[in-house]
Amino acid sequence: MKINKKYISAFVAMLFAVPVMAQVPTPAPKQSKPVLLKGATLHVGNGTVVENAAVGFDKGKITYAGPQAGANLSGYEVVDVTGQHIYPGLIQPNATLGLNEISSVRATLDQREVGEMNPHVRSVIAYNTDSDIIPTIRTNGVLLTQVTPVGGTISGTSSIVQLDAWNWEDAIVKADGGLHLNWPYMLISTGNSAQDARLARMKAQREQALTELAALFRDAAVYKAGKHENENLKLAATAGLFDGSKKLYIHANYGKEIVEAVNFAKEHGVKDIVVVGARDAVAVADFLKANNVSVIYSGVHALPSRAEEDVDMPYKTPYLLHKAGVPFALDYDLSIHGIRNLPFIAGTAAAYGLDKEQALAAVTLNTAKILGVDKQTGSVEVGKDATLVVSSGDLLDMRTNNVTHAFIQGRKLDLNNKQKYLYEKFDNKYKNEQKTPSGVTTSAGN
């Protein structure tokens, strides 16, 4: 059959006329030449602020961070960011980002494994670098996350990844650094006989879970101490808990649960403990400090846990933890889509007691220390990864946050994303609809 060439030409023209839907930007290539940002205010992440600063980096590592007057510009591509602010890339702990795309579509969910005791499950191998959500997170300055499994009593191990990579292997900053334990809920009698009968069954299930958990930890300690012909993956995955090479992240909120869980871990020889969630952390702050336990606090933008608490208790908890001397980081846990709001929960903490640099540290250097990656990232210091952002306004203020540049290990990121594309698409649509064919602007009602 003979096809008319004019139809082919028309079809090709039509294809090129259709706007291309924004996709996940292509990962940036490795840094090819030294770059120096000059003229901005530098927020190091450790409390230090440098006015009229410069930051230089080469081959993905920071080579200079300090006053602009002391920088050697020779050999650097100089980027003038005068009047702006340089910050470390923000770090989101305890997230299913890359494991959970669309909650109503089962095929896109890979954050949970079958079973209750899964210490050998590695969440990072399911991490999807092509998630549409990731570019929307980077836009507000969040450049790293802790990929965390959920469900069961022991969910599995988490890994730290950077948010610009072709695959999960390239994304890894620290693999399998911690084991996640969901401490069984304590149950309180209500005085209602029907409800208490149900509670009795749940208490029996809780006791069974604690018994199995104790047995697993005892077996793990024995396994680590001996030699074995056949490897037991579940027990081998827990070995690092007893020599401090792997952290135990205990997910608990109620004060008595926190104390019970930490005592359990200590009794079984766990060296490095972090409590995640920790809504009641202030109530047990002395206990946490005495036992050298860090906290990932998840409730800044939440309601108070109890009716008798101050209405602003979640907002001021970070300040109270800081005042009590408990090491802590902040976690945006309301939804993976909302992780882009991580800088703003730090801003809320700053409005309720913390100073701005302490609040910044709670989503950068403090988080890096708790996750065990502070020698590599978390602050803008010489020798660390050039993972940083530049904002024309205050990064922690939702009114002025405007990230103009972002770099991961020296690679300049494309900050476009699906939400920006849709905003521009419909902004143009309604602007055009306000015009008559002659180009004269009319009111929206016409």
Side-chain angles (χ1 to χ4, degrees), residues 47-64:
T48 304
V49 178
V50 182
E51 301 289 345
N52 194 23
V55 176
F57 45 95
D58 186 21
K59 297 178 182 176
K61 296 291 183 181
I62 296 172
T63 56
Y64 180 81

Side-chain angles (χ1 to χ4, degrees), residues 347-361:
T348 299
Y352 282 81
L354 291 180
D355 71 35
K356 272 290 179 67
E357 301 311 311
Q358 290 167 347
L360 175 64

Side-chain angles (χ1 to χ4, degrees), residues 81-291:
V81 288
T82 299
Q84 301 193 55
H85 300 262
I86 300 175
Y87 300 88
L90 306 190
I91 307 171
Q92 164 68 27
N94 182 40
T96 58
L97 182 64
L99 305 179
N100 178 359
E101 193 74 5
I102 305 171
S103 58
S104 60
V105 180
R106 176 65 186 86
T108 71
L109 309 182
D110 206 2
Q111 74 272 32
R112 181 190 302 263
E113 190 54 83
V114 175
E116 292 297 314
M117 302 288 182
N118 295 308
H120 57 302
V121 168
R122 303 180 64 216
S123 61
V124 73
I125 63 174
Y127 174 65
N128 174 25
T129 55
D130 290 325
S131 167
D132 277 338
I133 302 170
I134 290 173
T136 70
I137 305 304
R138 300 189 316 211
T139 298
N140 277 359
V142 182
L143 303 185
L144 298 103
T145 191
Q146 179 190 29
V147 181
T148 305
V150 300
T153 303
I154 297 181
S155 306
T157 61
S158 62
S159 296
I160 318 305
V161 299
Q162 46 89 358
L163 301 183
D164 182 63
W166 286 100
N167 50 58
W168 65 265
E169 292 98 330
D170 291 344
I172 287 177
V173 174
K174 183 175 183 178
D176 307 319
L179 197 66
H180 290 259
L181 166 60
N182 299 300
W183 194 251
Y185 296 120
M186 285 186 168
L187 303 163
I188 301 172
S189 176
T190 63
N192 182 301
S193 58
Q195 290 184 5
D196 283 352
R198 179 171 173 267
L199 282 175
R201 292 192 298 272
M202 294 174 67
K203 285 181 179 179
Q205 294 171 353
R206 181 178 193 271
E207 291 303 317
Q208 178 65 26
L210 292 175
T211 300
E212 293 175 359
L213 198 56
L216 175 68
F217 273 71
R218 285 195 301 270
D219 292 345
V222 172
Y223 182 86
K224 176 175 171 45
K227 295 182 179 180
H228 314 278
E229 293 182 3
N230 298 315
E231 184 177 18
N232 183 311
L233 293 178
K234 284 190 175 184
L235 299 183
T238 65
L241 297 177
F242 307 109
D243 60 17
S245 62
K246 185 176 286 189
K247 297 175 184 284
L248 179 64
Y249 294 93
I250 299 174
H251 295 250
N253 283 301
Y254 181 39
K256 289 185 177 180
E257 291 172 357
I258 293 172
V259 172
E260 182 185 41
V262 170
N263 284 335
F264 171 90
K266 290 281 187 181
E267 288 168 7
H268 286 86
V270 177
K271 301 294 184 185
D272 198 342
I273 303 169
V274 180
V275 176
V276 182
R279 298 290 175 88
D280 276 356
V282 172
V284 293
D286 291 342
F287 171 81
L288 294 171
K289 184 178 179 181
N291 285 276

